[in-house]
Amino acid sequence: MSKPKVLVARAIFPESIERLAQHFEVESNQADEVWSKAQLIARLQGKVGVFTTGSERIDAELLDACPGLKICANMAVGYNNFDTDAMTAHGVLGTNAPDVLTETTADFGFALLMATARRIAESEHFLRAGQWQKWAYDMFSGSDIHGSTLGIIGMGRIGQGIARRGAHGFGMKVIYHNRSRLDAALEAECKASYVGKDELLKTADHVVLVVPYTPASHHTIGAAEIALMKPTATLINIARGGIVDDAALAVALKEKRIAAAGLDVFEGEPKVHPDLLTVPNVVLTPHIASATVPTRKAMADLAVDNLIGYLVNGKPLTPVNPAVLAKN
Ligand code: 8YV
């Protein structure tokens, strides 16, 4: 009997493909070509499953053109590349990769915060450019992390990880804003207090964004929100492009309305707003918050486990639209 066919849309660990090949006929993209939607649709013909990253958009147009598709397994915790309503309507399951990246991503959020507040990237560029001629009392003075107020917008698993690092490791006062308040035990463990969004923006020395992207969270931070922040504040976005209005942020950084920003995600990435590339007080990284070898392997493993779990055993591990399972 021939094996069911799956597509791996981007280059991935060879061992992930080997695991899939034990159960499926696999078409992969180890050349890591960036396929257009039409190319993705063409490759999906005859496939029952697809291994996606956050880059492939799965929407009604694609689903209409791929009637045999049963599951899209994302190697990402975020799944704003999925139109989950359309997927559910088409009976296509989506899965994501939660938990396995929480601590790695929280580490990175903290690293980006420290690099931004202590002007590490900016000063390193200065040194490399041969501009360091003498020491000066005010050279690259930044803002303190220890003892400062950390404001976290989006208090899911990664937000909680950042809160723990700030409160327990650096003696920070942690405030947070979230769609729903954490239960008292979790608040106590994270040493975090719930506040309204405006209060958080007004009082935090460092604001870290960790909210999922949805139409409702689009431009959570724009010019009006930046205007509430302290002129000495830093802003960190490890959530998704589109959570921050990048054009408004570039203006605010240029005019020093806030001290600095650290961005791992961008509106329309991999393109970056040109004005962000010219302001010195921003640290820019190419969407690498989850990028350690063990974590990326764990994320890939979970996506593979979801494909095998659903297509072979009928039991996906981390479905994002479980209504599809109820229908079957
Ligand atoms: C991924 C991420 O590396 O998991 C997420 O939501 O943003 C990153 O960890 C990226 O989406 C590529 O799949």
Side-chain angles (χ1 to χ4, degrees):
M1 208 177 78
S2 64
K3 290 175 178 173
K5 294 181 183 166
V6 300
L7 178 71
V8 180
R10 295 292 307 275
I12 193 59
F13 299 102
E15 52 267 43
S16 304
I17 295 177
E18 282 160 26
R19 282 191 62 213
L20 287 169
Q22 290 168 15
H23 303 273
F24 309 112
E25 194 180 311
V26 183
E27 179 178 343
S28 58
N29 179 13
Q30 289 304 75
D32 210 24
E33 286 164 12
V34 178
W35 292 331
S36 65
K37 186 183 233 180
Q39 287 170 318
L40 180 59
I41 288 173
R43 309 249 180 201
L44 280 171
Q45 299 310 303
K47 310 290 192 307
V48 289
V50 58
F51 180 120
T52 50
T53 67
S55 312
E56 295 73 41
R57 176 97 192 120
I58 306 294
D59 59 12
E61 186 194 346
L62 179 141
L63 295 164
D64 283 342
C66 305
L69 194 60
K70 291 189 175 138
I71 173 172
C72 304
N74 232 17
M75 183 190 153
V77 64
Y79 51 91
N80 54 306
N81 57 316
F82 289 171
D83 178 340
T84 46
D85 289 342
M87 288 169 74
T88 304
H90 284 78
V92 176
L93 188 75
T95 62
N96 68 341
D99 301 320
V100 291
L101 48 54
T102 300
E103 299 304 328
T104 294
T105 305
D107 279 351
F108 184 87
F110 223 87
L112 191 54
L113 167 58
M114 296 197 74
T116 303
R118 295 304 307 273
R119 304 178 66 179
I120 289 174
E122 197 185 344
S123 62
E124 205 239 13
H125 293 154
F126 167 89
L127 185 151
R128 278 182 192 272
Q131 291 175 290
W132 188 25
Q133 305 298 340
K134 58 179 191 236
W135 179 90
Y137 78 97
D138 59 350
M139 195 166 69
F140 294 106
S141 298
S143 52
D144 276 323
I145 302 289
H146 75 275
S148 65
T149 298
L150 173 62
I152 301 173
I153 300 185
M155 199 62 160
R157 291 161 287 216
I158 299 168
Q160 291 165 31
I162 292 171
R164 285 193 191 94
R165 282 160 179 75
H168 299 288
F170 289 82
M172 297 173 95
K173 177 182 173 193
V174 180
I175 54 178
Y176 77 96
H177 184 70
N178 198 41
R179 273 171 305 184
S180 53
R181 202 172 158 165
L182 300 186
D183 67 42
L186 208 44
E187 277 190 358
E189 196 189 314
C190 296
K191 290 197 182 175
S193 314
Y194 183 84
V195 294
K197 183 176 154 193
D198 285 5
E199 189 186 337
L200 182 146
L201 292 169
K202 284 182 198 159
T203 51
D205 297 305
H206 308 288
V207 176
V208 179
L209 304 169
V210 212
V211 276
Y213 183 84
T214 64
S217 64
H218 182 73
H219 287 186
T220 295
I221 301 292
E225 289 75 21
I226 293 169
L228 295 176
M229 293 172 67
K230 295 181 182 180
T232 50
T234 58
L235 176 70
I236 306 299
N237 185 10
I238 57 163
R240 272 291 179 273
I243 299 290
V244 174
D245 177 344
D246 286 349
L249 176 62
V251 171
L253 290 168
K254 204 171 179 177
E255 295 177 356
K256 303 240 171 69
R257 288 195 224 147
I258 60 170
L263 308 174
D264 186 50
V265 286
F266 303 88
E267 283 188 287
E269 64 184 52
K271 289 199 184 111
V272 175
H273 193 290
D275 294 350
L276 287 172
L277 297 171
T278 58
V279 285
N281 47 344
V282 60
V283 182
L284 307 169
T285 53
H287 203 149
I288 57 166
S290 65
T292 66
V293 174
T295 292
R296 285 280 165 86
K297 281 197 170 147
M299 292 164 72
D301 275 346
L302 186 45
V304 169
D305 288 342
N306 272 308
L307 285 164
I308 298 170
Y310 189 48
L311 293 172
V312 179
N313 307 317
K315 284 197 180 77
L317 277 77
T318 49
V320 299
N321 56 343
V324 169
L325 302 172
K327 273 192 193 172
N328 290 342

